[in-house]
Amino acid sequence: MKLKVMQYNILHGFYNPLHNKDMSFDFEGDRLMAAQKAVKKENPDVLVLNEACFAEKSRWSILMDYPKLFNYPHHYHAPSGYEWGISVLSRFPIVERENYSLPNCPFARITLDLKGYKLGLNVLHPHPTLTEEEKMRFVQSSLRDIKHPCLVVGDFNALSDEDDYNFDKLYRGFSNFDKHASNTVKEFKKRLPIRAILDKRLRDTFIVARNPWNYTIPTDHCSKNKDSAMRIDYIFCSNDIGVKDAYVVKNNFTEKASDHYPIVAVLDIKKK
């Protein structure tokens, strides 16, 4: 059977990510509307949302009903401190769910029931301020008991050995907004977390699909200067899952909705 999966970092749950002095947030409805249109156009079977903020009641009196907003019958939310969290929306039942999130390391593990076929879905989102070694240890710990068939999905804030970068250009790009650009790029060059994932006999669906290289950040909403462009969002699958296609979704909607572009993998699930 065909399974279409989308992973999307939605930038602080469609609220302004910068605190005001009174610790309030401004809702950015135009971003939500753009994301809704982007998701509807792709129509994935499974939608993974990183930075799915305000999915539970909090001190800010904000509540984002993601399954209603994106029209999915099955939902699991894994909070990871304050307003943050991961939300998984699915057209298939979620039969197992665990939240293993740590500070700065959101991690949700669920099992989907695809008409009798059980598929593990692991969603990770290591914080960008972590070192490469810290991200690597988080990945290794999260995946130490992983079982196939499975997917590993998320914004990993890390680069792959399978992508070619001009690091001088990357440094110029980061220098526009990061006063520690030299150290930031030095960390990225180590590429440790993605190696740790590939060591678990998982495949990068984007590489398997053999489409031309594309970046997942920044969108025009974040910056029209693309010197800092990187592919840091991934969908990995175990070897027992086929890959029909995988791509970065770029259109007028995704330029407006977030600082990340969503990514999609079209998978071939071979039931035994």
Side-chain angles (χ1 to χ4, degrees):
M1 66 176 291
K2 185 177 80 170
L3 182 74
K4 191 173 188 179
V5 179
M6 175 186 279
Q7 190 275 148
Y8 207 170
N9 182 320
I10 56 173
L11 184 57
H12 203 247
F14 307 110
Y15 277 79
N16 189 321
L18 300 177
H19 287 285
N20 296 320
K21 290 182 180 180
D22 60 356
M23 296 294 286
S24 63
F25 298 97
D26 295 325
F27 177 55
E28 297 178 323
D30 56 334
R31 290 206 296 113
L32 170 59
M33 188 178 299
Q36 288 172 315
K37 290 178 179 178
V39 171
K40 184 177 181 180
K41 185 176 181 179
E42 288 296 324
N43 193 29
D45 300 301
V46 179
L47 174 62
V48 177
L49 300 177
N50 282 302
E51 296 196 24
C53 298
F54 309 110
E56 296 185 331
K57 290 183 179 179
S58 66
R59 58 180 174 173
W60 292 282
S61 300
I62 300 170
L63 187 61
M64 296 294 286
D65 189 344
Y66 290 111
K68 183 177 180 180
L69 290 169
F70 290 99
N71 192 28
Y72 280 83
H74 304 285
H75 173 228
Y76 175 61
H77 180 72
S80 58
Y82 297 101
E83 70 272 24
W84 301 92
I86 293 166
S87 277
V88 178
L89 310 177
S90 174
R91 305 216 185 281
F92 295 95
I94 297 170
V95 294
E96 296 177 9
R97 66 215 62 183
E98 294 289 347
N99 182 16
Y100 297 112
S101 297
L102 299 171
N104 289 329
C105 293
F107 171 33
R109 172 175 287 172
I110 72 169
T111 301
L112 297 168
D113 185 348
L114 309 182
K115 299 180 180 179
Y117 179 97
K118 300 301 191 295
L119 176 66
L121 174 61
N122 304 269
V123 186
L124 288 76
H125 186 194
H127 198 274
T129 59
L130 299 176
T131 67
E132 287 285 288
E133 286 79 10
E134 289 170 330
K135 294 173 191 174
M136 178 187 68
R137 288 195 291 270
F138 167 55
V139 167
Q140 290 173 330
S141 175
S142 301
L143 304 184
R144 66 183 182 276
D145 57 350
I146 195 170
K147 297 178 181 178
H148 295 189
C150 69
L151 305 178
V152 175
V153 177
D155 167 11
F156 290 89
N157 284 300
L159 306 184
S160 170
D161 284 323
E162 296 178 289
D163 293 339
D164 187 24
Y165 287 93
N166 180 330
F167 286 102
D168 290 333
K169 180 180 179 182
L170 204 59
Y171 169 73
R172 290 196 303 271
F174 271 83
S175 295
N176 293 321
F177 56 86
D178 183 354
K179 63 182 179 181
H180 303 296
S182 179
N183 186 64
T184 299
V185 173
K186 183 179 178 181
E187 283 293 306
F188 273 123
K189 288 176 73 173
K190 296 177 183 178
R191 311 191 200 211
L192 299 178
I194 304 305
R195 288 179 198 159
I197 296 171
L198 295 174
D199 283 346
K200 301 299 290 187
R201 295 187 297 118
L202 297 167
R203 300 187 296 161
D204 182 342
T205 59
F206 184 83
I207 296 299
V208 175
R210 297 182 179 275
N211 285 323
W213 185 84
N214 217 332
Y215 58 93
T216 64
I217 191 172
T219 63
D220 286 354
H221 174 78
C222 179
S223 175
K224 292 191 176 182
N225 183 327
K226 308 302 179 182
D227 286 349
S228 63
M230 302 182 296
R231 187 172 74 97
I232 59 175
D233 300 85
Y234 302 85
I235 298 173
F236 298 93
C237 69
S238 52
N239 290 326
D240 44 7
I241 297 173
V243 179
K244 291 179 173 291
D245 201 3
Y247 52 90
V248 182
V249 181
K250 293 189 176 181
N251 54 44
N252 290 336
F253 303 135
T254 62
E255 294 290 1
K256 300 174 184 176
S258 178
D259 55 341
H260 288 245
Y261 297 100
I263 58 172
V264 167
V266 183
L267 307 171
D268 182 18
I269 304 296
K270 298 179 174 63
K271 294 186 179 182
K272 295 181 179 180

